[in-house]
């Protein structure tokens, strides 16, 4: 996992998202170099996850320092287009070590992203909405499961889900990530 995270950060450095590799803490660099095992890796992973969250917020052009900044980041997400939300999520999954396929805008067979880590393939339906996301999103991603021969499915939104969407998702084992889940991710810095 550490190697994948290091490669992810290295890619972002080469793309210019992280302007200065020296901003990665020296102690972290030393721990990675020494290839520590056991609990030390957990600490390293935690530091890297915090660093990745910082990178994600930079992708949005928002720096998070306190709780009100998390709301500001979510407000920025609310302003972008649906396709930009899909592209943002693709970058997030890549930073987290997933192989990512961003599907075409039209005729995507119910998946905006197909992500894979290890041998687990997940189809993702992304919904950047102002209102609640209904059962159609769940129908779409359930259909995508078979089409893309995926193991898991999920719907991610900047909004909330209707009760009906939650009821349909449960027996179909569709993971639902709503605004609160996105907020929790950003607040864990």
């Amino acid at each position: 996992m550490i190697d994948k995270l290091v490669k992810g950060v290295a890619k972002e450095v080469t793309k210019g998202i992280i302007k200065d590799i020296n901003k990665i803490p020296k102690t972290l660099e030393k721990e990675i170099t020494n290839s520590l095992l056991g609990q030390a890796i957990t600490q390293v992973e935690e530091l890297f996850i915090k660093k990745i969250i910082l990178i994600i917020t930079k992708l949005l052009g928002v720096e998070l320092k306190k709780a009100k900044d998390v709301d500001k980041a979510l407000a920025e997400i609310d302003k972008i287009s649906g396709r930009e939300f899909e592209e943002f999520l693709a970058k997030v999954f890549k930073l987290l070590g997933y192989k990512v396929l961003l599907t075409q805008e039209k005729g995507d067979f119910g998946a905006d992203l197909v992500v894979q880590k290890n041998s687990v393939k997940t189809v993702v339906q992304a919904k950047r909405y102002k209102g609640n996301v209904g059962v159609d999103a769940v129908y779409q991603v359930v259909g995508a499961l078979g089409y893309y021969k995926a193991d898991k499915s999920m719907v991610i939104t900047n909004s909330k889900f209707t009760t009906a969407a939650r009821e349909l998702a449960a027996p179909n084992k569709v993971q639902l990530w709503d605004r609160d889940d996105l907020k929790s991710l950003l607040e864990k810095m």
Side-chain angles (χ1 to χ4, degrees), residues 17 52-65 69-70 72-77 79-80 88 91-92 186:
I17 294 169
I52 287 169
I53 292 170
L54 285 171
I55 293 166
I56 291 167
T57 59
K58 286 181 182 181
L59 292 172
L60 286 174
V62 177
E63 241 182 83
L64 299 180
K65 292 184 181 174
D69 289 332
V70 172
K72 186 176 178 182
L74 289 171
E76 289 298 315
I77 290 172
K79 293 177 189 174
I80 63 178
F88 167 73
K91 290 176 185 177
V92 169
L186 296 174

Side-chain angles (χ1 to χ4, degrees), residues 27-62:
T27 55
L28 178 60
E29 188 178 323
K30 185 177 179 182
E31 287 181 47
I32 293 166
T33 306
N34 293 335
S35 301
L36 296 173
L37 299 173
Q39 194 160 7
I41 282 184
T42 303
Q43 293 168 353
V44 171
E45 289 173 348
E46 183 179 337
L47 289 171
F48 253 112
I49 290 168
K50 289 179 181 179
K51 188 56 77 174
I52 287 169
I53 292 170
L54 285 171
I55 293 166
I56 291 167
T57 59
K58 286 181 182 181
L59 292 172
L60 286 174
V62 177

Side-chain angles (χ1 to χ4, degrees), residues 4-184:
K4 289 180 184 178
L5 290 171
V6 170
K7 287 176 186 173
V9 171
K11 284 180 187 176
E12 297 310 313
V13 169
T14 59
K15 291 178 186 173
I17 294 169
I18 299 176
K19 302 289 184 202
D20 186 358
I21 192 68
N22 295 321
K23 289 184 181 176
I24 296 175
K26 291 292 180 192
T27 55
L28 178 60
E29 188 178 323
K30 185 177 179 182
E31 287 181 47
I32 293 166
T33 306
N34 293 335
S35 301
L36 296 173
L37 299 173
Q39 194 160 7
I41 282 184
T42 303
Q43 293 168 353
V44 171
E45 289 173 348
E46 183 179 337
L47 289 171
F48 253 112
I49 290 168
K50 289 179 181 179
K51 188 56 77 174
I52 287 169
I53 292 170
L54 285 171
I55 293 166
I56 291 167
T57 59
K58 286 181 182 181
L59 292 172
L60 286 174
V62 177
E63 241 182 83
L64 299 180
K65 292 184 181 174
K66 28 190 153 164
K68 70 178 183 178
D69 289 332
V70 172
D71 292 329
K72 186 176 178 182
L74 289 171
E76 289 298 315
I77 290 172
D78 292 341
K79 293 177 189 174
I80 63 178
S81 70
R83 187 60 175 184
E84 289 169 325
F85 185 54
E86 294 166 12
E87 291 167 353
F88 167 73
L89 291 175
K91 290 176 185 177
V92 169
F93 279 108
K94 282 180 185 176
L95 288 171
L96 295 173
Y98 287 81
K99 292 179 187 175
V100 178
L101 168 68
L102 181 63
T103 63
Q104 59 191 25
E105 282 188 75
K106 303 227 185 230
D108 61 17
F109 297 99
D112 297 312
L113 303 167
V114 180
V115 300
Q116 186 169 349
K117 193 169 193 178
N118 302 321
S119 61
V120 180
K121 186 188 288 187
T122 304
V123 287
V124 179
Q125 180 62 238
K127 295 294 184 187
R128 209 264 331 129
Y129 271 24
K130 291 185 182 183
N132 291 337
V133 177
V135 294
D136 285 345
V138 178
Y139 288 140
Q140 291 169 5
V141 81
V142 167
L145 197 60
Y147 181 81
Y148 290 100
K149 297 179 176 77
D151 304 295
K152 295 182 177 183
S153 60
M154 66 188 311
V155 182
I156 303 174
T157 185
N158 64 312
S159 186
K160 299 284 186 182
F161 293 97
T162 63
T163 302
R166 290 189 181 284
E167 288 175 7
L168 182 60
N172 287 290
K173 298 179 182 166
V174 176
Q175 289 183 5
L176 300 179
W177 283 20
D178 66 9
R179 188 174 194 87
D180 293 335
D181 296 309
L182 289 176
K183 187 171 184 173
S184 293

